[in-house]
PDB file of all heavy atoms in Angstrom:
ATOM      1  N   LEU A  18     -15.461  -3.058  -7.055  1.00  0.00           N
ATOM      2  CA  LEU A  18     -14.066  -3.087  -7.523  1.00  0.00           C
ATOM      3  C   LEU A  18     -13.358  -1.758  -7.223  1.00  0.00           C
ATOM      4  O   LEU A  18     -12.295  -1.478  -7.789  1.00  0.00           O
ATOM      5  CB  LEU A  18     -14.017  -3.391  -9.028  1.00  0.00           C
ATOM      6  CG  LEU A  18     -14.421  -4.809  -9.442  1.00  0.00           C
ATOM      7  CD1 LEU A  18     -14.332  -4.983 -10.948  1.00  0.00           C
ATOM      8  CD2 LEU A  18     -13.530  -5.852  -8.767  1.00  0.00           C
ATOM      9  N   GLY A  19     -13.965  -0.949  -6.371  1.00  0.00           N
ATOM     10  CA  GLY A  19     -13.340   0.320  -5.973  1.00  0.00           C
ATOM     11  C   GLY A  19     -13.044   1.210  -7.168  1.00  0.00           C
ATOM     12  O   GLY A  19     -12.006   1.852  -7.237  1.00  0.00           O
ATOM     13  N   GLN A  20     -13.995   1.251  -8.112  1.00  0.00           N
ATOM     14  CA  GLN A  20     -13.723   1.981  -9.365  1.00  0.00           C
ATOM     15  C   GLN A  20     -14.020   3.472  -9.255  1.00  0.00           C
ATOM     16  O   GLN A  20     -15.168   3.908  -9.340  1.00  0.00           O
ATOM     17  CB  GLN A  20     -14.511   1.345 -10.510  1.00  0.00           C
ATOM     18  CG  GLN A  20     -13.962  -0.030 -10.867  1.00  0.00           C
ATOM     19  CD  GLN A  20     -14.679  -0.699 -12.016  1.00  0.00           C
ATOM     20  OE1 GLN A  20     -15.799  -0.322 -12.364  1.00  0.00           O
ATOM     21  NE2 GLN A  20     -14.057  -1.700 -12.600  1.00  0.00           N
ATOM     22  N   ASN A  21     -12.976   4.256  -9.044  1.00  0.00           N
ATOM     23  CA  ASN A  21     -13.050   5.714  -9.128  1.00  0.00           C
ATOM     24  C   ASN A  21     -11.984   6.097 -10.157  1.00  0.00           C
ATOM     25  O   ASN A  21     -10.792   6.041  -9.858  1.00  0.00           O
ATOM     26  CB  ASN A  21     -12.739   6.377  -7.779  1.00  0.00           C
ATOM     27  CG  ASN A  21     -13.751   5.982  -6.715  1.00  0.00           C
ATOM     28  OD1 ASN A  21     -13.511   5.095  -5.918  1.00  0.00           O
ATOM     29  ND2 ASN A  21     -14.896   6.630  -6.716  1.00  0.00           N
ATOM     30  N   PHE A  22     -12.432   6.412 -11.358  1.00  0.00           N
ATOM     31  CA  PHE A  22     -11.485   6.618 -12.462  1.00  0.00           C
ATOM     32  C   PHE A  22     -10.947   8.043 -12.464  1.00  0.00           C
ATOM     33  O   PHE A  22     -11.694   8.997 -12.256  1.00  0.00           O
ATOM     34  CB  PHE A  22     -12.168   6.298 -13.800  1.00  0.00           C
ATOM     35  CG  PHE A  22     -12.622   4.864 -13.879  1.00  0.00           C
ATOM     36  CD1 PHE A  22     -13.956   4.530 -13.714  1.00  0.00           C
ATOM     37  CD2 PHE A  22     -11.714   3.840 -14.093  1.00  0.00           C
ATOM     38  CE1 PHE A  22     -14.381   3.211 -13.764  1.00  0.00           C
ATOM     39  CE2 PHE A  22     -12.117   2.505 -14.140  1.00  0.00           C
ATOM     40  CZ  PHE A  22     -13.460   2.203 -13.980  1.00  0.00           C
ATOM     41  N   LEU A  23      -9.663   8.154 -12.731  1.00  0.00           N
ATOM     42  CA  LEU A  23      -9.039   9.478 -12.820  1.00  0.00           C
ATOM     43  C   LEU A  23      -9.535  10.180 -14.075  1.00  0.00           C
ATOM     44  O   LEU A  23      -9.464   9.590 -15.164  1.00  0.00           O
ATOM     45  CB  LEU A  23      -7.526   9.304 -12.934  1.00  0.00           C
ATOM     46  CG  LEU A  23      -6.664   9.607 -11.727  1.00  0.00           C
ATOM     47  CD1 LEU A  23      -5.217   9.289 -12.050  1.00  0.00           C
ATOM     48  CD2 LEU A  23      -6.794  11.046 -11.273  1.00  0.00           C
ATOM     49  N   GLU A  46       1.488  -2.290 -13.278  1.00  0.00           N
ATOM     50  CA  GLU A  46       0.383  -1.398 -12.931  1.00  0.00           C
ATOM     51  C   GLU A  46      -0.761  -2.215 -12.342  1.00  0.00           C
ATOM     52  O   GLU A  46      -1.201  -3.206 -12.939  1.00  0.00           O
ATOM     53  CB  GLU A  46      -0.128  -0.591 -14.144  1.00  0.00           C
ATOM     54  CG  GLU A  46      -1.112   0.458 -13.652  1.00  0.00           C
ATOM     55  CD  GLU A  46      -1.896   1.222 -14.710  1.00  0.00           C
ATOM     56  OE1 GLU A  46      -1.757   0.933 -15.911  1.00  0.00           O
ATOM     57  OE2 GLU A  46      -2.689   2.094 -14.309  1.00  0.00           O
ATOM     58  N   ILE A  47      -1.241  -1.778 -11.178  1.00  0.00           N
ATOM     59  CA  ILE A  47      -2.344  -2.480 -10.517  1.00  0.00           C
ATOM     60  C   ILE A  47      -3.643  -1.722 -10.806  1.00  0.00           C
ATOM     61  O   ILE A  47      -3.756  -0.542 -10.486  1.00  0.00           O
ATOM     62  CB  ILE A  47      -2.085  -2.592  -9.003  1.00  0.00           C
ATOM     63  CG1 ILE A  47      -0.800  -3.390  -8.761  1.00  0.00           C
ATOM     64  CG2 ILE A  47      -3.286  -3.229  -8.296  1.00  0.00           C
ATOM     65  CD1 ILE A  47      -0.377  -3.512  -7.317  1.00  0.00           C
ATOM     66  N   GLY A  48      -4.592  -2.397 -11.451  1.00  0.00           N
ATOM     67  CA  GLY A  48      -5.892  -1.786 -11.741  1.00  0.00           C
ATOM     68  C   GLY A  48      -5.818  -0.683 -12.780  1.00  0.00           C
ATOM     69  O   GLY A  48      -6.088   0.479 -12.477  1.00  0.00           O
ATOM     70  N   PRO A  49      -5.474  -0.998 -14.037  1.00  0.00           N
ATOM     71  CA  PRO A  49      -5.349   0.047 -15.067  1.00  0.00           C
ATOM     72  C   PRO A  49      -6.678   0.714 -15.437  1.00  0.00           C
ATOM     73  O   PRO A  49      -6.689   1.823 -15.971  1.00  0.00           O
ATOM     74  CB  PRO A  49      -4.762  -0.711 -16.262  1.00  0.00           C
ATOM     75  CG  PRO A  49      -5.120  -2.142 -16.048  1.00  0.00           C
ATOM     76  CD  PRO A  49      -5.125  -2.339 -14.559  1.00  0.00           C
ATOM     77  N   GLY A  50      -7.804   0.031 -15.162  1.00  0.00           N
ATOM     78  CA  GLY A  50      -9.120   0.633 -15.424  1.00  0.00           C
ATOM     79  C   GLY A  50      -9.328   0.918 -16.895  1.00  0.00           C
ATOM     80  O   GLY A  50      -9.343   0.015 -17.724  1.00  0.00           O
ATOM     81  N   LYS A  51      -9.447   2.221 -17.236  1.00  0.00           N
ATOM     82  CA  LYS A  51      -9.651   2.597 -18.646  1.00  0.00           C
ATOM     83  C   LYS A  51      -8.339   2.983 -19.307  1.00  0.00           C
ATOM     84  O   LYS A  51      -8.338   3.486 -20.436  1.00  0.00           O
ATOM     85  CB  LYS A  51     -10.653   3.737 -18.724  1.00  0.00           C
ATOM     86  CG  LYS A  51     -12.020   3.349 -18.168  1.00  0.00           C
ATOM     87  CD  LYS A  51     -12.989   4.515 -18.218  1.00  0.00           C
ATOM     88  CE  LYS A  51     -14.331   4.113 -17.625  1.00  0.00           C
ATOM     89  NZ  LYS A  51     -15.279   5.215 -17.586  1.00  0.00           N
ATOM     90  N   GLY A  52      -7.225   2.831 -18.585  1.00  0.00           N
ATOM     91  CA  GLY A  52      -5.907   3.018 -19.205  1.00  0.00           C
ATOM     92  C   GLY A  52      -5.344   4.429 -19.142  1.00  0.00           C
ATOM     93  O   GLY A  52      -4.340   4.711 -19.804  1.00  0.00           O
ATOM     94  N   VAL A  53      -5.929   5.295 -18.316  1.00  0.00           N
ATOM     95  CA  VAL A  53      -5.439   6.697 -18.300  1.00  0.00           C
ATOM     96  C   VAL A  53      -3.984   6.816 -17.849  1.00  0.00           C
ATOM     97  O   VAL A  53      -3.268   7.706 -18.316  1.00  0.00           O
ATOM     98  CB  VAL A  53      -6.289   7.641 -17.413  1.00  0.00           C
ATOM     99  CG1 VAL A  53      -7.620   7.950 -18.026  1.00  0.00           C
ATOM    100  CG2 VAL A  53      -6.425   7.124 -16.012  1.00  0.00           C
ATOM    101  N   LEU A  54      -3.570   5.934 -16.947  1.00  0.00           N
ATOM    102  CA  LEU A  54      -2.154   5.960 -16.532  1.00  0.00           C
ATOM    103  C   LEU A  54      -1.325   5.019 -17.410  1.00  0.00           C
ATOM    104  O   LEU A  54      -0.145   5.263 -17.641  1.00  0.00           O
ATOM    105  CB  LEU A  54      -2.017   5.549 -15.056  1.00  0.00           C
ATOM    106  CG  LEU A  54      -2.662   6.487 -14.034  1.00  0.00           C
ATOM    107  CD1 LEU A  54      -2.502   5.944 -12.615  1.00  0.00           C
ATOM    108  CD2 LEU A  54      -2.046   7.892 -14.111  1.00  0.00           C
ATOM    109  N   ILE A  68      -2.444  -5.412 -14.439  1.00  0.00           N
ATOM    110  CA  ILE A  68      -3.371  -6.454 -13.967  1.00  0.00           C
ATOM    111  C   ILE A  68      -4.733  -5.827 -13.673  1.00  0.00           C
ATOM    112  O   ILE A  68      -4.847  -4.959 -12.798  1.00  0.00           O
ATOM    113  CB  ILE A  68      -2.829  -7.136 -12.687  1.00  0.00           C
ATOM    114  CG1 ILE A  68      -1.418  -7.682 -12.932  1.00  0.00           C
ATOM    115  CG2 ILE A  68      -3.779  -8.237 -12.228  1.00  0.00           C
ATOM    116  CD1 ILE A  68      -0.775  -8.314 -11.710  1.00  0.00           C
ATOM    117  N   GLU A  69      -5.741  -6.252 -14.412  1.00  0.00           N
ATOM    118  CA  GLU A  69      -7.090  -5.693 -14.245  1.00  0.00           C
ATOM    119  C   GLU A  69      -8.095  -6.825 -14.077  1.00  0.00           C
ATOM    120  O   GLU A  69      -8.117  -7.771 -14.859  1.00  0.00           O
ATOM    121  CB  GLU A  69      -7.440  -4.832 -15.474  1.00  0.00           C
ATOM    122  CG  GLU A  69      -8.859  -4.294 -15.506  1.00  0.00           C
ATOM    123  CD  GLU A  69      -9.237  -3.454 -14.288  1.00  0.00           C
ATOM    124  OE1 GLU A  69      -8.595  -2.426 -14.046  1.00  0.00           O
ATOM    125  OE2 GLU A  69     -10.170  -3.843 -13.561  1.00  0.00           O
ATOM    126  N   LYS A  70      -8.948  -6.687 -13.064  1.00  0.00           N
ATOM    127  CA  LYS A  70      -9.903  -7.758 -12.753  1.00  0.00           C
ATOM    128  C   LYS A  70     -11.228  -7.605 -13.512  1.00  0.00           C
ATOM    129  O   LYS A  70     -11.918  -8.593 -13.770  1.00  0.00           O
ATOM    130  CB  LYS A  70     -10.175  -7.744 -11.240  1.00  0.00           C
ATOM    131  CG  LYS A  70     -11.058  -8.873 -10.766  1.00  0.00           C
ATOM    132  CD  LYS A  70     -11.193  -8.850  -9.255  1.00  0.00           C
ATOM    133  CE  LYS A  70     -12.111  -9.963  -8.791  1.00  0.00           C
ATOM    134  NZ  LYS A  70     -12.394  -9.873  -7.367  1.00  0.00           N
ATOM    135  N   ASP A  71     -11.581  -6.374 -13.866  1.00  0.00           N
ATOM    136  CA  ASP A  71     -12.909  -6.118 -14.435  1.00  0.00           C
ATOM    137  C   ASP A  71     -13.113  -6.867 -15.757  1.00  0.00           C
ATOM    138  O   ASP A  71     -12.305  -6.744 -16.687  1.00  0.00           O
ATOM    139  CB  ASP A  71     -13.068  -4.609 -14.653  1.00  0.00           C
ATOM    140  CG  ASP A  71     -14.477  -4.242 -15.048  1.00  0.00           C
ATOM    141  OD1 ASP A  71     -14.865  -4.530 -16.207  1.00  0.00           O
ATOM    142  OD2 ASP A  71     -15.195  -3.681 -14.210  1.00  0.00           O
ATOM    143  N   LEU A  74     -13.525  -4.214 -18.706  1.00  0.00           N
ATOM    144  CA  LEU A  74     -12.384  -3.338 -19.022  1.00  0.00           C
ATOM    145  C   LEU A  74     -11.156  -4.117 -19.493  1.00  0.00           C
ATOM    146  O   LEU A  74     -10.445  -3.667 -20.402  1.00  0.00           O
ATOM    147  CB  LEU A  74     -12.014  -2.487 -17.789  1.00  0.00           C
ATOM    148  CG  LEU A  74     -13.094  -1.500 -17.341  1.00  0.00           C
ATOM    149  CD1 LEU A  74     -12.676  -0.794 -16.052  1.00  0.00           C
ATOM    150  CD2 LEU A  74     -13.359  -0.460 -18.439  1.00  0.00           C
ATOM    151  N   ALA A  92      -6.887 -10.508 -14.470  1.00  0.00           N
ATOM    152  CA  ALA A  92      -6.728 -11.327 -13.258  1.00  0.00           C
ATOM    153  C   ALA A  92      -6.992 -10.491 -12.013  1.00  0.00           C
ATOM    154  O   ALA A  92      -7.022  -9.255 -12.063  1.00  0.00           O
ATOM    155  CB  ALA A  92      -5.292 -11.871 -13.211  1.00  0.00           C
ATOM    156  N   ASP A  93      -7.146 -11.206 -10.926  1.00  0.00           N
ATOM    157  CA  ASP A  93      -7.252 -10.577  -9.600  1.00  0.00           C
ATOM    158  C   ASP A  93      -5.830 -10.418  -9.064  1.00  0.00           C
ATOM    159  O   ASP A  93      -5.109 -11.413  -8.910  1.00  0.00           O
ATOM    160  CB  ASP A  93      -8.074 -11.520  -8.696  1.00  0.00           C
ATOM    161  CG  ASP A  93      -8.246 -10.965  -7.294  1.00  0.00           C
ATOM    162  OD1 ASP A  93      -7.466 -10.091  -6.878  1.00  0.00           O
ATOM    163  OD2 ASP A  93      -9.164 -11.435  -6.593  1.00  0.00           O
ATOM    164  N   VAL A  94      -5.449  -9.192  -8.789  1.00  0.00           N
ATOM    165  CA  VAL A  94      -4.060  -8.955  -8.355  1.00  0.00           C
ATOM    166  C   VAL A  94      -3.722  -9.734  -7.077  1.00  0.00           C
ATOM    167  O   VAL A  94      -2.578 -10.139  -6.866  1.00  0.00           O
ATOM    168  CB  VAL A  94      -3.782  -7.441  -8.186  1.00  0.00           C
ATOM    169  CG1 VAL A  94      -4.552  -6.852  -7.008  1.00  0.00           C
ATOM    170  CG2 VAL A  94      -2.300  -7.171  -8.031  1.00  0.00           C
ATOM    171  N   LEU A  95      -4.749  -9.975  -6.253  1.00  0.00           N
ATOM    172  CA  LEU A  95      -4.481 -10.677  -4.992  1.00  0.00           C
ATOM    173  C   LEU A  95      -4.187 -12.160  -5.210  1.00  0.00           C
ATOM    174  O   LEU A  95      -3.642 -12.827  -4.338  1.00  0.00           O
ATOM    175  CB  LEU A  95      -5.652 -10.511  -4.016  1.00  0.00           C
ATOM    176  CG  LEU A  95      -5.923  -9.060  -3.588  1.00  0.00           C
ATOM    177  CD1 LEU A  95      -7.123  -8.994  -2.652  1.00  0.00           C
ATOM    178  CD2 LEU A  95      -4.692  -8.444  -2.914  1.00  0.00           C
ATOM    179  N   ASN A 111      -3.467   3.333  -8.989  1.00  0.00           N
ATOM    180  CA  ASN A 111      -4.525   4.087  -8.327  1.00  0.00           C
ATOM    181  C   ASN A 111      -5.388   2.989  -7.717  1.00  0.00           C
ATOM    182  O   ASN A 111      -6.196   2.379  -8.396  1.00  0.00           O
ATOM    183  CB  ASN A 111      -5.257   4.939  -9.373  1.00  0.00           C
ATOM    184  CG  ASN A 111      -6.508   5.581  -8.835  1.00  0.00           C
ATOM    185  OD1 ASN A 111      -6.729   5.630  -7.622  1.00  0.00           O
ATOM    186  ND2 ASN A 111      -7.353   6.067  -9.732  1.00  0.00           N
ATOM    187  N   LEU A 112      -5.151   2.694  -6.444  1.00  0.00           N
ATOM    188  CA  LEU A 112      -5.628   1.433  -5.864  1.00  0.00           C
ATOM    189  C   LEU A 112      -7.123   1.417  -5.596  1.00  0.00           C
ATOM    190  O   LEU A 112      -7.691   2.431  -5.174  1.00  0.00           O
ATOM    191  CB  LEU A 112      -4.894   1.155  -4.547  1.00  0.00           C
ATOM    192  CG  LEU A 112      -3.377   0.992  -4.624  1.00  0.00           C
ATOM    193  CD1 LEU A 112      -2.843   0.538  -3.261  1.00  0.00           C
ATOM    194  CD2 LEU A 112      -2.950   0.013  -5.707  1.00  0.00           C
ATOM    195  N   PRO A 113      -7.756   0.236  -5.832  1.00  0.00           N
ATOM    196  CA  PRO A 113      -9.133   0.082  -5.371  1.00  0.00           C
ATOM    197  C   PRO A 113      -9.118   0.182  -3.848  1.00  0.00           C
ATOM    198  O   PRO A 113      -8.437  -0.595  -3.175  1.00  0.00           O
ATOM    199  CB  PRO A 113      -9.515  -1.334  -5.842  1.00  0.00           C
ATOM    200  CG  PRO A 113      -8.255  -2.004  -6.281  1.00  0.00           C
ATOM    201  CD  PRO A 113      -7.191  -0.991  -6.439  1.00  0.00           C
ATOM    202  N   TYR A 114      -9.819   1.219  -3.305  1.00  0.00           N
ATOM    203  CA  TYR A 114      -9.642   1.543  -1.882  1.00  0.00           C
ATOM    204  C   TYR A 114     -10.032   0.386  -0.959  1.00  0.00           C
ATOM    205  O   TYR A 114      -9.473   0.238   0.123  1.00  0.00           O
ATOM    206  CB  TYR A 114     -10.428   2.815  -1.520  1.00  0.00           C
ATOM    207  CG  TYR A 114     -11.924   2.624  -1.603  1.00  0.00           C
ATOM    208  CD1 TYR A 114     -12.637   2.261  -0.472  1.00  0.00           C
ATOM    209  CD2 TYR A 114     -12.616   2.783  -2.794  1.00  0.00           C
ATOM    210  CE1 TYR A 114     -13.993   2.052  -0.546  1.00  0.00           C
ATOM    211  CE2 TYR A 114     -13.969   2.565  -2.870  1.00  0.00           C
ATOM    212  CZ  TYR A 114     -14.652   2.197  -1.744  1.00  0.00           C
ATOM    213  OH  TYR A 114     -16.000   1.968  -1.820  1.00  0.00           O
ATOM    214  N   ILE A 116      -9.441  -2.779  -1.184  1.00  0.00           N
ATOM    215  CA  ILE A 116      -8.443  -3.836  -0.971  1.00  0.00           C
ATOM    216  C   ILE A 116      -7.015  -3.249  -0.941  1.00  0.00           C
ATOM    217  O   ILE A 116      -6.052  -3.943  -1.252  1.00  0.00           O
ATOM    218  CB  ILE A 116      -8.544  -4.977  -2.019  1.00  0.00           C
ATOM    219  CG1 ILE A 116      -8.516  -4.422  -3.449  1.00  0.00           C
ATOM    220  CG2 ILE A 116      -9.778  -5.827  -1.794  1.00  0.00           C
ATOM    221  CD1 ILE A 116      -8.240  -5.524  -4.490  1.00  0.00           C
TER     222      ILE A 116
HETATM  223  N1  LIG B 301      -6.085   3.226 -12.944  1.00  0.00           N
HETATM  224  C1  LIG B 301      -7.436   3.628 -13.265  1.00  0.00           C
HETATM  225  C2  LIG B 301      -7.584   5.106 -13.086  1.00  0.00           C
HETATM  226  O1  LIG B 301      -6.713   5.697 -12.450  1.00  0.00           O
HETATM  227  O2  LIG B 301      -8.547   5.675 -13.597  1.00  0.00           O
HETATM  228  C3  LIG B 301      -8.468   2.887 -12.403  1.00  0.00           C
HETATM  229  C4  LIG B 301      -8.322   3.066 -10.920  1.00  0.00           C
HETATM  230  S1  LIG B 301      -9.680   2.427  -9.984  1.00  0.00           S
HETATM  231  C5  LIG B 301      -9.469   3.320  -8.467  1.00  0.00           C
HETATM  232  C6  LIG B 301      -9.136   0.796  -9.482  1.00  0.00           C
HETATM  233  C7  LIG B 301      -9.011  -0.211 -10.589  1.00  0.00           C
HETATM  234  O3  LIG B 301      -8.611  -1.468 -10.013  1.00  0.00           O
HETATM  235  C8  LIG B 301     -10.303  -0.494 -11.346  1.00  0.00           C
HETATM  236  O4  LIG B 301     -10.055  -0.523 -12.718  1.00  0.00           O
HETATM  237  C9  LIG B 301     -10.736  -1.874 -10.841  1.00  0.00           C
HETATM  238  O5  LIG B 301     -11.509  -2.601 -11.772  1.00  0.00           O
HETATM  239  C10 LIG B 301      -9.395  -2.519 -10.569  1.00  0.00           C
HETATM  240  N2  LIG B 301      -9.443  -3.601  -9.582  1.00  0.00           N
HETATM  241  C11 LIG B 301     -10.233  -3.705  -8.502  1.00  0.00           C
HETATM  242  N3  LIG B 301      -9.976  -4.821  -7.806  1.00  0.00           N
HETATM  243  C12 LIG B 301      -8.977  -5.457  -8.482  1.00  0.00           C
HETATM  244  C13 LIG B 301      -8.280  -6.679  -8.273  1.00  0.00           C
HETATM  245  N4  LIG B 301      -8.538  -7.462  -7.224  1.00  0.00           N
HETATM  246  N5  LIG B 301      -7.326  -7.030  -9.163  1.00  0.00           N
HETATM  247  C14 LIG B 301      -7.038  -6.237 -10.244  1.00  0.00           C
HETATM  248  N6  LIG B 301      -7.684  -5.076 -10.489  1.00  0.00           N
HETATM  249  C15 LIG B 301      -8.634  -4.678  -9.624  1.00  0.00           C
END
Side-chain angles (χ1 to χ4, degrees):
L18 291 180
Q20 290 181 342
N21 298 98
F22 299 103
L23 255 177
E46 189 189 3
I47 299 177
K51 298 178 182 177
V53 287
L54 295 178
I68 305 177
E69 174 57 60
K70 185 176 178 187
D71 188 287
L74 296 175
D93 180 340
V94 68
L95 297 178
N111 171 14
L112 299 188
Y114 67 93
I116 53 165

